[in-house]
Amino acid sequence: MQAEFIRNRLLAVIAIILTIAAVKIGYPVLMPIVVSFCIIASAWPIKTWADRLGPPAVSYAATIIILIAGLLTFFGITAYALSQVVQNFAGREGEFRTLFESYSQWASENGLPSLPDGSSAFQRILSMIRAVLGDAYSVLSYTGIVAVIVILGFPEVPKLAHKFRHEYEFEDNRVMSRTVAEMAASLRRYLAMTTLASLITGVASFAWALVLGLDLAVIWGILNFLLNFIPVIGNIIGILPPTLYAFIQYGGWVMPLVVFSGFVVLQLFISNFVYPMLQSKGVSMPPITIILSLLFWGWIWGVAGGLLAVPLTAMIVIVCSRFEPTRRFAIFVGGHEDAGSTNKGEAPRG
């Protein structure tokens, strides 16, 4: 009996390792499929609204047009903001070098560690930015594949759901259908909550930069809006570019410190007060789970993994909560006792 128990546990560990390896290796195929599912699930309310416009062909066409327009707008704003940051930093290389030289002199006079020369440090920062942009562009290169899957997949969703229920599930036991529906609803709640929190963060960042007279106020607002979609880590990263730019624009320490302090206060207020209020109506997971999911999915899929980390983890928790062997894992990761309170085969209430 003990040998069988150990064997089953070892087989489970091996299966998990092989699954993780398959997900990592299968990035070129799996990532577009997952992103397409997320887009279809998120945009399905648009399809429901578009059904009022006429026959199914018209509603699907209207949904696709609205979706494409929204995505093009989002990607256009993203590309504009990132290009503006790179161009403005590159255009002020001389001021950046002067700043580093003054710090190096001050550090050497006070016995503090000195940084590399300004030119070298500036090139390193630009290299890091280009590396991040390169990773982001590699994700965007899958846009065409995702678009095809979404356009062809939208009309097939009702047909596939009907076929699946007819062939694999009974009327009184539709666990998988309800699980998929719950995953889609959870994803929509998460995106709505995160978008609203990101808008608040972006507007607050823009207003703070505008009040201080910091250049590129609109860009800092857009940048913080975009980075807020990456929980915790994005909030931290969003503080650094405007603070560094403040050193270049103002010089000295006072104004950059004011800029930094203001952004920190804004992020702390939104993260600790606004976001939890919104989170109560969306996907709720402990901070440690969010951080670990970011590290894990970032390692698996890079930038795409960081963006999808929270919804993917939430989906895994939902699936695990449906089955008795994995229900404890769902409770542990989800951080809520009610994650496993749903009886097997029943949809959760409320």
Side-chain angles (χ1 to χ4, degrees):
M1 195 69 177
Q2 183 70 18
E4 183 180 354
F5 175 82
I6 295 175
R7 183 197 65 186
N8 291 339
R9 290 297 182 269
L10 288 176
L11 289 175
V13 171
I14 293 172
I16 292 172
I17 294 173
L18 291 177
T19 301
I20 293 174
V23 171
K24 187 173 178 63
I25 296 172
Y27 170 84
V29 176
L30 294 176
M31 190 276 287
I33 294 174
V34 172
V35 172
S36 301
F37 169 80
C38 293
I39 292 175
I40 292 174
S42 303
W44 198 254
I46 301 176
K47 164 66 176 60
T48 304
W49 170 83
D51 286 339
R52 306 173 188 173
L53 301 178
V58 175
S59 66
Y60 281 120
T63 303
I64 294 299
I65 291 172
I66 294 172
L67 189 58
I68 291 176
L71 291 176
L72 287 177
T73 301
F74 181 82
F75 288 138
I77 292 173
T78 302
Y80 170 75
L82 293 177
S83 64
Q84 287 295 308
V85 171
V86 173
Q87 289 175 14
N88 279 274
F89 269 100
R92 307 189 76 159
E93 181 177 356
E95 296 166 81
F96 190 88
R97 187 182 298 111
T98 302
L99 173 67
F100 265 70
E101 288 173 354
S102 63
Y103 171 80
S104 297
Q105 182 180 357
W106 176 82
S108 138
E109 293 173 353
N110 291 273
L112 297 174
S114 60
L115 299 174
D117 64 274
S119 178
S120 174
F122 185 78
Q123 292 303 322
R124 289 183 185 179
I125 292 176
L126 282 184
S127 297
M128 288 178 5
I129 294 175
R130 290 193 186 101
V132 173
L133 289 178
D135 204 355
Y137 287 140
S138 70
V139 173
L140 293 179
S141 66
Y142 288 91
T143 303
I145 301 173
V146 171
V148 171
I149 296 174
V150 170
I151 292 172
L152 297 179
F154 248 111
E156 297 298 321
V157 170
K159 300 176 187 177
L160 289 174
H162 175 74
K163 291 177 182 178
F164 187 84
R165 286 194 299 266
H166 184 266
E167 295 294 335
Y168 297 103
E169 295 187 315
F170 300 104
E171 186 66 31
D172 58 344
N173 185 24
R174 292 181 172 173
V175 180
M176 294 305 300
S177 296
R178 292 171 180 171
T179 301
V180 172
E182 185 182 351
M183 289 164 59
S186 176
L187 177 64
R188 286 193 291 269
R189 289 194 300 268
Y190 169 75
L191 288 178
M193 171 196 70
T194 304
T195 301
L196 181 56
S198 298
L199 281 172
I200 295 172
T201 303
V203 171
S205 300
F206 161 73
W208 179 243
L210 190 66
V211 167
L212 296 179
L214 184 65
D215 293 343
L216 306 177
V218 175
I219 301 303
W220 305 134
I222 294 174
L223 193 64
N224 277 275
F225 164 76
L226 296 172
L227 288 171
N228 196 71
F229 282 91
I230 305 177
V232 184
I233 297 176
N235 300 132
I236 297 172
I237 296 175
I239 298 172
L240 301 180
T243 302
L244 184 59
Y245 194 87
F247 277 105
I248 299 174
Q249 178 180 338
Y250 298 114
W253 293 92
V254 177
M255 285 304 296
L257 184 60
V258 172
V259 171
F260 175 80
S261 301
F263 276 105
V264 168
V265 170
L266 287 176
Q267 294 287 4
L268 288 175
F269 177 78
I270 293 172
S271 298
N272 290 282
F273 295 98
V274 177
Y275 202 76
M277 287 191 296
L278 298 174
Q279 195 179 43
S280 63
K281 300 180 180 180
V283 178
S284 181
M285 289 191 296
I288 185 63
T289 299
I290 294 175
I291 293 174
L292 291 177
S293 69
L294 285 169
L295 294 175
F296 175 77
W297 288 107
W299 168 66
I300 293 288
W301 284 356
V303 172
L307 293 172
L308 297 170
V310 174
L312 282 175
T313 305
M315 291 178 193
I316 292 173
V317 170
I318 290 171
V319 173
C320 290
S321 67
R322 293 288 184 172
F323 303 98
E324 190 61 38
T326 56
R327 192 165 296 172
R328 290 183 180 178
F329 172 80
I331 296 174
F332 179 78
V333 174
H336 296 278
E337 292 295 332
D338 57 357
S341 62
T342 303
N343 292 329
K344 189 174 181 179
E346 292 184 2
R349 299 179 182 272

